[in-house]
Amino acid sequence: MKALLVLGALNAALAVILGAFGAHGLKSRVDDAMLTVWSTASHYHLYHALALLVVGLLARQFGAASMVTAGWVLFAGMLVFSGSLYVLVLSGQKWLGAITPLGGTALIIGWLMLAWSLFKNT
C-alpha cells in the first residue's frame, strides 16, 4: 500500500516534469504529431499516477490485497503505455508504437481488477 502511494506521488511529479519538457523543450525539436503523442503520454501518466494514490488509499482503507494487485497492474500499464510513447518521440523508433497497446491493455485490466475488488470488498 505504501509503495503505491509513494509511486503515485513520484510519478505525478515526473508526469508534470515530462509534460513541461514536452511543451517547452521539445517544441522546436519534433513535429506537431510527435508533440501530440508526447502530450498523450504525459496525460495518461499523470492520470494513472493519481490513480495509484487513490488505489493505495483504498487498499489501506479496505485492506484488500486484490486492490494492491490492481495498483501494480496499473503501474505496469502506465510504464509500458506512457514509457513507450516517450521513447518513441525521443528516439523516432516507430516500432515502439506496437508496444503501446500492451500498456493500454494492462491499464484496462488494472481498472477492471480494481472494480472487481471494490465490488467484493466494499
Side-chain angles (χ1 to χ4, degrees), residues 49-108:
L50 296 174
L52 290 179
L53 291 169
V54 171
V55 172
L57 293 172
L58 287 169
R60 180 174 282 171
Q61 172 80 21
F62 296 106
S66 57
M67 287 181 192
V68 174
T69 303
W72 284 108
V73 173
L74 285 170
F75 178 64
M78 178 181 64
L79 285 178
V80 174
F81 183 86
S82 293
S84 66
L85 292 178
Y86 290 140
V87 175
L88 182 151
V89 172
L90 293 174
S91 70
Q93 297 295 314
K94 302 290 185 192
W95 65 269
L96 288 164
I99 295 171
T100 306
L102 298 174
T105 300
L107 291 173
I108 293 165

Side-chain angles (χ1 to χ4, degrees), residues 26-74:
L26 290 178
K27 199 172 196 173
S28 63
R29 296 184 180 157
V30 299
D31 63 25
D32 287 342
M34 288 293 103
L35 284 176
T36 300
V37 170
W38 189 275
S39 178
T40 298
S42 63
H43 282 109
Y44 272 73
H45 191 175
L46 182 58
Y47 300 149
H48 288 89
L50 296 174
L52 290 179
L53 291 169
V54 171
V55 172
L57 293 172
L58 287 169
R60 180 174 282 171
Q61 172 80 21
F62 296 106
S66 57
M67 287 181 192
V68 174
T69 303
W72 284 108
V73 173
L74 285 170

